[in-house]
Amino acid sequence: MALLQIAEPGSINEPHKRKIAIGIDLGTTNSLVATIKSGMPIVLNNEHDEKLTPSVVYYGETSKIKVGKDALKHLITDPSNTILSVKRLLGKDINEIELSAKLPYNFTDENNMVKIKTIQGDKSPVQVSADILSKLSYLASQSLGEEITGAVVTVPAYFNEAQRQATKQAAHIAGLNVLRLLNEPTAAAIAYGLDNKTDGTFLVYDLGGGTLDVSVLKFSKGIFQVLAVNGNTAIGGDDFDHLICKHIIDNQNLTNLTKEDIASLIQLSKNLKEQLSFNESLSTNIELSSKQVLNITITQKEFYNLSNNLVNQSLLPIKKVLRDAKINSNEIDEVIMVGGSTRMPNIKDAVSGLFNQKKLLSSIDPDLVVAIGAAIQADILVGNKKDDWLLLDVTPLSLGIETMGGLVEKIIPRNSTIPITIAQDFTTQKDGQNAMSLHIVQGERELSHECRSLAKFSLKGIPPMAAGTARIRITFQIDADGLLSVRAKEQTTGIESSITVRPSFGLADTQIEQMLNDSIKHAKEDIETRMLAEAQNKATSLITMLEHAIEIDGDLLIDEEKSQLKTILANLNQAIEQQNTNLITKLTDQLTNAAETFAVKRTNRALKQSLSGKTINEVE
Amino acid sequence: MTSEELTELLKSNSFELFNLPIEFQIDPTTLEAKYHSLQKQIHPDNFSVNRNEEKLLATSLSSKINDAYQTLASPIKRAKLILELNGLKINLAENNQLPENFLIEQMETHETIAEANDDIDKLDAIIYELEQKKDHLIAQIEEHFVNENLQIIVELIKQLSFYDKLILLVENNIQNAL
C-alpha cells in the first residue's frame, strides 16, 4: 500500500491518472451535475439525495446564500429575495426582460447592466447563475472527493452571443474551468447517439423551463454534425404555468393580489400542470393573504385549450429547422424529446403529428439526458477517452454589421459550422480619416435595430490616407463555444488598429474581475464565519458543563480556585459576545487547564461514591 | 501535429489543404470523408486541456478547414478559386456584361416570387426551377473547364451567383411564411 503511494506526482511511474470532468446542465427550473464513473455516466445527488437541484437562489437577511430546495422554501414568504428562472434574464437588457414574463423582482438598470434588488444588494443574473454553478461544483467535489479538472456547461442551442458570454462569465466566477459550452440538444443527442451507436439523422425537440430548442443532427461514421438549429428563448414550461395562473386569476376575478399571492399561485399552477399530464380533472384550494380561500377546478381539456396557441408556436421552430437543414420530415430517423415539459401529452401529440405520428424517443429521462451528454463530452475533452467521434456544431444566428441606413450586412450566416473565421475589408470615406466605428449585430432581421446589438467597435489610429485607399481587414471569429472575437488590421501599411470593445450590455472584464475578487473575499469570510461558529460552540458547551459541575460539586473548590474559574468564565462569555474567534479559543484553552484539578477531584469523588457500599471482593 | 506544421497548413489553399488536385469536378463523398478526417485531427476539442496558444491555433486551422470545405463543396466558390489560382480576378458586383435575355429572365423571376406571396408550394416550385437552371449552368461550367475557356466561365459564374441570390431570397420568404 505504502509502496504504491511513493511515486512522485508527474513522474513516469505514476499510473495513468483519470482526470475528473463534470457536465453541468444549468437549467431554467432545475440544474444538474453529472460525471463518468467506471465508464458509465451518472448524475450526482445533492444533499437531499435528489438529482434535480432547483435553480433557485435565496439571498436572506444574514449574508448566507441558499441554493436549491432550501432556497425554494422562501419563495412564498419572501418572493423578492428568492430568485428563480434567472436563466430567462441572462444576457438580456431591461427592455427584453420587461417584454418577457412578469417577474416579482425589482430591477436596477445601470449602463445597460440589469441587476435584481435583494436584501443582500443588487445581484446581476450572471452572479445569481454563478451562485447556482458554485453549488453544483461544490456538490461534485464533495461527492467525488477529488479535484475537478474541467466542466462542460450546457446552453440552449438558440442562445445568442450575449447569453453565451454571460453563461461563460458565470462559470468563470464560480471558479470552473470551462472546457466547452455545449448546446443542450447536442448534448442530448450525444447521450442517445452513443447509447445506440447507430448512424442516422436525429431531430431533438428540447422544451425546458424557459427555452425551446430544436436541432437536426447527423451522426455518421463517428462524426456528430449539427445540420441546423432553431428555437425560441422566450418559450418554456414556465409559460404553461403562467397560462394556468392567469386562467385562475381571470376566472375568479382576483384583484389586489400581493407578490406572495402571485408566487403561491404560480407554484400551484406548476403543480397542476404537472398533475394534468396524468389526470383528467383536478380540484384543489388555496388560501390567499387576504384569508380568502379559493376553490380551483381545472380539467385536462381546459388546459389543452388554454395552451393550444403556445403548443402551435412551439412547432414553428421544427418547420424552420427542417427547412434550413434541407431535410424532409420523413428523412428523420428519430425524434428525441428532451426537457421536463415534453412530458405533457399535448406536446407529444403535436410533435408526433408533424412526423406522421412517429413514435418519439424518450428512453433516457428527459430531465437527465442533457447532463449525461455533457458529462460524456467533458470526459472526452479532458482526454480520458481518446474517442473516435467528433462533434461539429453550428452558430444559431446570423452575424452581421450595420451598414448605411441602418441595414444589416450578413457576414456569417446562421447554421455555419463552427469554429468559423471570416475576414472582410472596409475602407475610409474621407481623406485623412483616422477612425471608424462598426456596429456588430446578431439576428435574422434586415434592420440593425431589430437585431440583437452585440458590440460597437471603434477603430482608431488608421494612418492618414486618401479616401478609399485604406484597406481595413476585420476578422470575425466564432470559436467552438460559439463565442465571437474580432481583430482589425490596416492592410496597406500593416498597422494593427487598436480596437475598443464596448459591450452593448453584459459585463466588462473589469467587472468580472471585481466579482471574482468578491467571491474570493466571500469564501474567506465564509471560512472565518465557520471558525467562529466552531469556537463558540466549543466554548458554550464547556461553560454549560462547568457551571453545572460547580453547582453540584462546588464545595470541592477552594475560594481562590472558584474565583479564578469565575473570572475566566466571565471573560469567555464576553469574548463570545464580541465574536472574537482568537480570544474565544485562547480562553477556552485557559478554562480547560484551570478546571483540570477540579475535574480530577470530581472524578475521585464520583469514584468513591460508586465504590461505597460494595465489598472488597466485588471491587476485585 | 506540431505547432510549426499547423502554422504551415494555415498558409495553404483549399485544394492543398484537402490534398486534392485543382479540378472543377469533385466527388462529394470523397470531399466529405476528407473533411471529417481533417477535423478529427485539427478540431480544437482535441486541444481543450492544452495551452491557450495551441487551442487558438487549432481554432484558426479548424475554421480554415470549415471554410475550405464550404468553398470546395460550392460549385460557384470552387470555380472562382480555380480561376483565381489561374490569375483571373472576378468581381461579382461587376455585372454590366450580362446578356439581355438573362436580365429579363431575372426580372420575370422576381415578379413570380412577388406573386407567389406566402404560398409555400408556389415558392417551393420556384426553387425547384431555379435549382434546375443552376444545374444546367454548372454542367456548362464543367465543360468549359475541360476546354479551358476560362473567360466564358467568368461570365457563367456571375449568372450562377444571381440564381444563388434568388434561391436565398425565396428561402427567406418561405421561412417568414411558415
Side-chain angles (χ1 to χ4, degrees):
Chain A
M1 181 69 186
L3 279 174
L4 285 174
Q5 289 171 339
I6 53 172
E8 277 178 31
S11 79
I12 46 158
N13 292 330
E14 190 186 20
H16 175 68
K17 196 172 178 328
R18 260 189 86 80
K19 292 191 185 110
I20 302 290
I22 54 171
I24 294 181
D25 174 5
L26 180 64
T28 307
T29 320
N30 293 301
S31 295
L32 303 92
V33 56
T35 193
I36 304 294
K37 247 185 189 172
S38 324
M40 290 296 290
I42 49 156
V43 180
L44 302 173
N45 282 355
N46 62 21
E47 72 275 23
H48 301 289
D49 226 15
E50 289 162 348
K51 291 182 168 44
L52 272 63
T53 299
S55 304
V56 184
V57 184
Y58 175 62
Y59 297 100
E61 270 192 49
T62 61
S63 63
K64 246 189 124 43
I65 296 170
K66 291 184 188 172
V67 178
K69 211 174 177 181
D70 296 337
L72 198 57
K73 283 179 196 149
H74 298 273
L75 180 64
I76 309 297
T77 51
D78 192 3
S80 37
N81 291 307
T82 312
I83 316 300
L84 68 161
S85 297
V86 72
K87 193 175 176 181
R88 294 195 102 156
L89 310 179
L90 215 51
K92 289 186 179 167
D93 64 27
I94 193 79
N95 298 323
E96 289 171 291
I97 286 172
E98 277 167 359
L99 276 177
S100 58
K102 270 190 189 157
L103 295 157
Y105 312 123
N106 301 311
F107 294 105
T108 63
D109 180 25
E110 228 174 274
N111 307 323
N112 273 323
M113 270 280 297
V114 178
K115 287 186 174 180
I116 306 157
K117 278 188 183 169
T118 78
I119 203 159
Q120 285 186 32
D122 298 347
K123 301 282 177 186
S124 69
V126 168
Q127 182 64 57
V128 181
S129 307
D131 287 331
I132 300 170
L133 288 168
S134 294
K135 163 90 177 180
L136 296 170
S137 157
Y138 176 77
L139 201 125
S141 56
Q142 285 290 302
S143 162
L144 301 169
E146 273 181 89
E147 201 191 327
I148 292 158
T149 307
V152 165
V153 180
T154 62
V155 288
Y158 217 54
F159 252 20
N160 65 29
E161 162 80 14
Q163 293 164 310
R164 282 168 200 270
Q165 285 284 8
T167 308
K168 198 160 187 183
Q169 285 164 1
H172 187 44
I173 292 165
L176 289 167
N177 169 30
V178 181
L179 300 165
R180 181 81 123 80
L181 292 181
L182 181 62
N183 290 330
E184 286 160 10
T186 310
I190 288 173
Y192 274 102
L194 298 175
D195 221 30
N196 300 335
K197 292 233 187 304
T198 46
D199 287 4
T201 308
F202 306 101
L203 182 133
V204 182
Y205 176 93
D206 179 357
L207 184 61
T211 51
L212 167 68
D213 271 339
V214 183
S215 291
V216 175
L217 308 95
K218 203 172 112 189
F219 186 45
S220 150
K221 298 184 192 83
I223 298 270
F224 254 111
Q225 169 100 52
V226 181
L227 299 179
V229 300
N230 208 296
N232 191 333
T233 52
I235 294 184
D238 284 5
D239 297 305
F240 291 84
D241 308 345
H242 294 155
L243 282 177
I244 296 180
C245 185
K246 193 177 173 293
H247 170 76
I248 297 171
I249 293 172
D250 291 350
N251 246 14
Q252 311 246 3
N253 281 320
L254 300 176
T255 47
N256 302 323
L257 291 169
T258 64
K259 275 185 179 176
E260 289 76 10
D261 286 337
I262 292 173
S264 10
L265 281 173
I266 289 177
Q267 273 308 104
L268 180 83
S269 304
K270 191 184 195 64
N271 291 339
L272 287 172
K273 174 193 74 180
E274 286 170 9
Q275 294 300 314
L276 281 171
S277 292
F278 317 101
N279 296 283
E280 280 194 8
S281 176
L282 290 171
S283 291
T284 183
N285 54 60
I286 182 173
E287 191 186 298
L288 298 178
S289 53
S290 63
K291 301 287 167 207
Q292 183 191 353
V293 175
L294 299 180
N295 291 310
I296 296 159
T297 303
I298 186 163
T299 64
Q300 203 176 47
K301 208 175 163 196
E302 267 178 302
F303 172 57
Y304 290 172
N305 282 337
L306 284 175
S307 53
N308 204 13
N309 259 339
L310 200 54
V311 172
N312 283 336
Q313 249 180 295
S314 86
L315 297 181
L316 190 55
I318 299 184
K319 296 176 188 163
K320 291 194 170 196
V321 82
L322 288 172
R323 201 75 221 179
D324 269 350
K326 299 198 188 332
I327 270 183
N328 271 324
S329 59
N330 55 20
E331 290 173 84
I332 298 289
D333 296 307
E334 297 283 2
V335 178
I336 298 171
M337 299 296 270
V338 180
S341 305
T342 58
R343 291 203 174 88
M344 287 189 271
N346 50 339
I347 293 277
K348 286 189 208 168
D349 291 346
V351 173
S352 169
L354 283 185
F355 297 91
N356 203 14
Q357 313 304 327
K358 191 180 177 65
K359 198 174 176 309
L360 308 171
L361 197 58
S362 57
S363 51
I364 305 180
D365 186 330
D367 280 323
L368 311 185
V369 64
V370 169
I372 290 172
I376 295 172
Q377 174 79 347
D379 198 51
I380 284 167
L381 292 184
V382 291
N384 282 338
K385 208 163 147 198
K386 273 279 160 227
D387 218 303
D388 52 354
W389 62 273
L390 175 75
L391 170 65
L392 295 172
D393 221 323
V394 299
T395 179
L397 298 155
S398 301
L399 189 83
I401 48 158
E402 182 180 327
T403 59
M404 303 270 271
L407 289 169
V408 176
E409 186 187 333
K410 295 215 167 96
I411 290 179
I412 299 180
R414 69 168 180 271
N415 294 319
S416 298
T417 304
I418 52 174
I420 186 167
T421 308
I422 299 231
Q424 189 120 341
D425 287 346
F426 295 87
T427 192
T428 45
Q429 310 273 318
K430 286 182 195 153
D431 288 345
Q433 184 180 338
N434 60 9
M436 82 197 286
S437 57
L438 275 174
H439 185 199
I440 300 177
V441 297
Q442 197 172 31
E444 309 311 319
R445 306 292 293 272
E446 303 202 344
L447 294 172
S448 68
H449 73 265
E450 291 171 332
C451 291
R452 168 52 124 141
S453 169
L454 289 185
K456 285 186 170 138
F457 291 92
S458 274
L459 285 160
K460 288 171 193 150
I462 299 170
M465 281 188 258
T469 47
R471 255 180 67 224
I472 295 132
R473 173 156 295 179
I474 313 230
T475 309
F476 302 85
Q477 182 170 73
I478 298 180
D479 66 15
D481 288 330
L483 296 175
L484 172 73
S485 60
V486 182
R487 295 191 305 276
K489 193 176 184 181
E490 205 291 305
Q491 292 293 103
T492 50
T493 58
I495 291 172
E496 295 238 9
S497 294
S498 68
I499 211 163
T500 10
V501 187
R502 187 159 56 82
S504 303
F505 71 88
L507 303 169
D509 279 351
T510 49
Q511 287 171 301
I512 298 175
E513 204 127 307
Q514 181 60 44
M515 290 168 92
L516 265 174
N517 287 338
D518 283 354
S519 69
I520 293 165
K521 211 175 83 202
H522 273 139
K524 220 176 125 195
E525 278 170 11
D526 287 349
I527 294 169
E528 281 165 7
T529 316
R530 212 178 56 221
M531 280 169 65
L532 173 67
E534 280 170 8
Q536 280 175 330
N537 286 342
K538 204 172 151 193
T540 321
S541 65
L542 180 67
I543 292 169
T544 322
M545 228 170 63
L546 202 58
E547 279 173 345
H548 182 68
I550 293 174
E551 209 172 285
I552 300 166
D553 295 323
D555 58 303
L556 287 171
L557 292 165
I558 53 168
D559 287 352
E560 212 175 297
E561 285 171 334
K562 203 184 261 179
S563 73
Q564 192 204 358
L565 283 178
K566 288 219 161 140
T567 317
I568 306 173
L569 266 174
N571 288 343
L572 183 54
N573 270 319
Q574 204 182 347
I576 292 172
E577 218 161 286
Q578 288 166 353
Q579 310 200 329
N580 184 334
T581 313
N582 286 339
L583 196 58
I584 298 171
T585 317
K586 210 176 115 192
L587 289 169
T588 308
D589 289 347
Q590 213 178 323
L591 191 61
T592 315
N593 289 336
E596 212 180 316
T597 10
F598 181 42
V600 175
K601 284 181 186 170
R602 286 193 72 214
T603 316
N604 285 339
R605 173 180 278 182
L607 216 57
K608 269 183 202 157
Q609 274 169 358
S610 65
L611 290 176
S612 62
K614 286 178 185 165
T615 65
I616 289 174
N617 283 343
E618 277 176 304
V619 176
E620 276 174 355
Chain B
M1 230 176 268
T2 66
S3 301
E4 287 75 31
E5 284 172 310
L6 291 175
T7 317
E8 199 51 44
L9 273 179
L10 266 176
K11 293 179 197 151
S12 52
N13 73 44
S14 301
F15 285 104
E16 288 167 351
L17 199 60
F18 277 69
N19 197 19
L20 285 166
I22 304 174
E23 283 170 8
F24 185 69
Q25 225 180 2
I26 216 157
D27 172 33
T29 322
T30 316
L31 183 66
E32 197 185 36
K34 282 196 180 251
Y35 168 57
H36 286 165
S37 107
L38 274 171
Q39 281 295 17
K40 269 191 182 173
Q41 298 170 59
I42 303 296
H43 196 277
D45 276 359
N46 294 319
F47 305 88
S48 56
V49 283
N50 290 47
R51 283 179 304 131
N52 222 17
E53 302 93 85
E54 284 165 359
K55 246 188 279 181
L56 288 175
L57 195 59
T59 301
S60 296
L61 196 51
S62 177
S63 304
K64 195 177 161 74
I65 294 164
N66 278 333
D67 183 51
Y69 177 63
Q70 290 304 326
T71 302
L72 297 178
S74 145
I76 189 164
K77 287 182 183 169
R78 188 168 71 233
K80 212 171 147 230
L81 175 63
I82 299 173
L83 294 182
E84 277 168 8
L85 292 172
N86 280 292
L88 277 170
K89 277 258 175 249
I90 307 162
N91 186 357
L92 289 176
E94 226 174 68
N95 46 37
N96 41 7
Q97 284 163 359
L98 287 166
E100 204 184 304
N101 57 355
F102 177 80
L103 290 173
I104 290 169
E105 185 205 303
Q106 287 286 308
M107 278 161 60
E108 284 170 353
T109 315
H110 270 286
E111 274 169 33
T112 325
I113 295 169
E115 280 162 19
N117 203 3
D118 55 3
D119 185 327
I120 294 174
D121 288 340
K122 278 188 188 164
L123 291 170
D124 262 334
I126 297 172
I127 288 191
Y128 181 76
E129 208 175 301
L130 288 169
E131 293 282 5
Q132 285 208 315
K133 284 181 179 161
K134 251 184 84 177
D135 287 347
H136 181 65
L137 267 181
I138 291 166
Q140 283 183 30
I141 289 173
E142 206 171 311
E143 212 170 293
H144 287 300
F145 264 119
V146 174
N147 302 322
E148 294 181 31
N149 297 326
L150 301 189
Q151 213 51 54
I152 298 173
I153 297 171
V154 173
E155 294 317 307
L156 294 180
I157 288 177
K158 284 180 185 172
Q159 296 185 19
L160 202 53
S161 83
F162 268 81
Y163 287 125
D164 267 355
K165 276 187 200 143
L166 279 176
I167 290 170
L168 203 66
L169 174 74
V170 182
E171 274 296 343
N172 250 334
N173 287 358
I174 292 175
Q175 286 276 350
N176 292 333
L178 281 173

